[in-house]
Amino acid sequence: MSDERFVDEAPAGADGWREVWLQDRRYRPRASRHEWLLGFFRRLFRRATEPDAERQKNFNVVLLDLLGDLRRDIENLRRDVRGDIENVQRDVRNADEELARELAKIRELIPVAARRNDALIAALDQKIESVAVRIRDAVNAPVPGGTPTPSPDFVYRRLEDSLRGGEGDVRASVMHYVPLVREAQPVLDVGCGRGELLMVCREQGIDARGFDTNERSVADLRARGLDVMLAGIPECFASMADGSAGSIVAMHVVEHLPVDVLFAFFREAARVLRKGGLLIVETPNAESLLVSASEFWRDPTHLAPRHPAALTVLAREHGFDLDEVRAVHPFPEGTGIAIAPDDPPQLQRAIHAINDRLFAPQDLRLIARRR
């Protein structure tokens, strides 16, 4: 028994078991008084079973080698899978970041697209309104002698529909004045045109009447049940008592008036309005170069742009305090010169200055209060 090798405890892991089988190590037998006899039987039994024991040992060693190979393969697979997962996570993270950047760009473009769509819809509404007016005129206009002869009033109404847009567009713009004139009644709408302000006032329960020199517009508004008279400036004020009006509104009127009539308008407005009454004037913005050099002259009945400084002086000289003088109704998004993010600061300032002067808002609003 001196050449036998024993183990005192179970081997640790597959490598430990492999070492035990290769070295043919056994558990140490318990001591006995008949050790010499037991040893004899063990050697005898070992010789009888030695071929089978050798095969079992070889089988166990091969099995342990296979388990070792499998363990290494699993470890390599785990490492590869871990690497693949890290790559997928990195790709997903990069994709998320790229998606976030794209979403940020889309969020920036959505308001621009919405404003451009609004501008396109407004233009389409204007075209539809113009076509509707033409159809209405073609159906209702008299044809003396069988030959259509449009009157100046008819032509100007066509021109007004074409240049000012649909009634819905103008109606939306006059809503700003409703809270003002509600507190200053009765309202006189001088040059009421298609009557958008008068119709809004009727809906809001505001006492209002209008004046205009266009017979066709006056007849149309009277047919709608509105209080409108055929009169120009200053004749429209002739029958009115001093201090009898709460507010006077002139929407796109003063640019049509000769200078002497413009002065008469302020003089009569100061006479007719009571103390605290409002004079509301809206006119194309003379300080916008695009308006004063181009858009203004699309209407051949315009005489001259009225500068805010001139209107301010006229109002103050006739006893008015100014509540508001400012440019309104900006041009659609994208009209001005674009500024790139990488433009130098000096260039950006220069472009801002050009845009502020060249593409200033389209109209001027003046609100004056009678002292």
Side-chain angles (χ1 to χ4, degrees):
M1 294 181 57
S2 59
D3 61 340
E4 290 187 291
R5 305 178 65 183
F6 300 102
V7 293
D8 297 323
E9 57 184 11
D15 291 339
W17 277 107
R18 187 177 185 280
E19 187 68 21
V20 167
W21 283 106
L22 285 175
Q23 296 180 5
D24 196 20
R25 299 172 68 180
R26 295 176 176 83
Y27 286 105
R28 187 182 303 276
R30 289 186 299 176
S32 175
R33 290 179 300 171
H34 308 288
E35 182 63 27
W36 66 270
L37 182 60
L38 292 175
F40 170 77
F41 281 109
R42 278 197 294 269
R43 286 192 296 273
L44 182 63
F45 181 77
R46 190 177 300 131
R47 287 182 185 146
T49 60
E50 187 173 5
D52 291 333
E54 184 68 22
R55 285 194 295 270
Q56 182 66 50
K57 181 183 73 173
N58 293 337
F59 174 79
N60 291 344
V61 171
V62 171
L63 181 60
L64 290 171
D65 288 341
L66 290 175
L67 289 175
D69 293 340
L70 180 60
R71 184 179 59 187
R72 286 188 292 273
D73 291 341
I74 291 174
E75 184 62 30
N76 292 334
L77 180 61
R78 182 185 293 114
R79 186 169 53 253
D80 293 341
V81 170
R82 187 183 300 113
D84 291 340
I85 291 175
E86 291 176 354
N87 291 335
V88 170
Q89 290 175 338
R90 184 170 55 254
D91 292 342
V92 170
R93 188 163 52 250
N94 293 337
D96 287 343
E97 294 174 355
E98 183 64 26
L99 180 60
R101 287 192 292 269
E102 293 298 326
L103 288 176
K105 293 179 182 178
I106 292 174
R107 280 194 291 268
E108 292 176 357
L109 292 175
I110 286 175
V112 176
R115 286 192 291 269
R116 291 181 178 176
N117 286 341
D118 290 342
L120 290 175
I121 292 173
L124 181 60
D125 287 342
Q126 178 178 343
K127 294 294 184 183
I128 293 173
E129 179 66 21
S130 299
V131 171
V133 169
R134 293 186 182 186
I135 293 174
R136 187 165 62 245
D137 291 335
V139 172
N140 299 328
V143 185
T147 303
T149 306
S151 67
D153 287 347
F154 167 77
V155 173
Y156 181 75
R157 182 59 183 269
R158 288 273 297 276
L159 188 66
E160 184 179 32
D161 291 335
S162 174
L163 296 179
R164 294 204 64 193
E167 292 183 13
D169 300 327
V170 180
R171 178 188 176 90
S173 69
V174 303
M175 291 300 296
H176 174 82
Y177 303 113
V178 170
L180 298 174
V181 299
R182 179 182 285 115
E183 303 301 323
Q185 303 183 44
V187 181
L188 304 180
D189 187 359
V190 180
C192 58
R194 296 177 301 190
E196 294 90 353
L197 177 62
L198 295 175
M199 286 185 281
V200 170
C201 286
R202 181 172 64 180
E203 295 168 2
Q204 298 288 329
I206 298 172
D207 181 12
R209 59 173 166 159
F211 303 92
D212 205 279
T213 58
N214 189 304
E215 293 183 4
R216 183 180 181 280
S217 296
V218 171
D220 182 49
L221 294 177
R222 284 179 175 174
R224 300 187 189 187
L226 295 170
D227 184 3
V228 183
M229 294 182 58
L230 182 66
I233 299 172
E235 294 79 18
C236 63
F237 300 110
S239 61
M240 302 184 64
D242 296 357
S244 60
S247 58
I248 295 175
V249 181
M251 303 279 289
H252 289 266
V253 172
V254 297
E255 66 271 16
H256 296 269
L257 304 179
V259 174
D260 57 334
V261 180
L262 179 64
F263 289 177
F265 167 69
F266 277 89
R267 182 179 66 249
E268 288 298 296
R271 179 184 68 80
V272 169
L273 284 171
R274 64 173 176 263
K275 184 177 180 181
L278 295 178
L279 175 62
I280 299 173
V281 175
E282 188 175 298
T283 184
N285 183 13
E287 292 190 305
S288 171
L289 295 182
L290 182 59
V291 171
S292 59
S294 176
E295 296 298 312
F296 181 87
W297 302 107
R298 292 173 63 189
D299 186 342
T301 65
H302 284 174
L303 295 182
R306 300 307 179 188
H307 197 279
L311 297 178
T312 297
V313 171
L314 286 172
R316 286 174 173 163
E317 289 297 322
H318 286 89
F320 289 93
D321 292 325
L322 297 178
D323 285 1
E324 180 181 14
V325 180
R326 71 184 184 94
V328 295
H329 307 146
F331 282 99
E333 182 74 21
T335 303
I337 302 172
I339 298 177
D342 56 349
D343 284 340
Q346 298 87 342
L347 179 58
Q348 294 189 20
R349 287 194 294 270
I351 294 176
H352 277 302
I354 293 173
N355 285 339
D356 291 344
R357 179 60 67 179
L358 186 60
F359 303 106
Q362 302 173 71
D363 297 316
L364 173 73
R365 175 187 297 155
L366 180 143
I367 301 177
R369 191 175 299 273
R370 185 73 172 87
R371 288 197 292 267

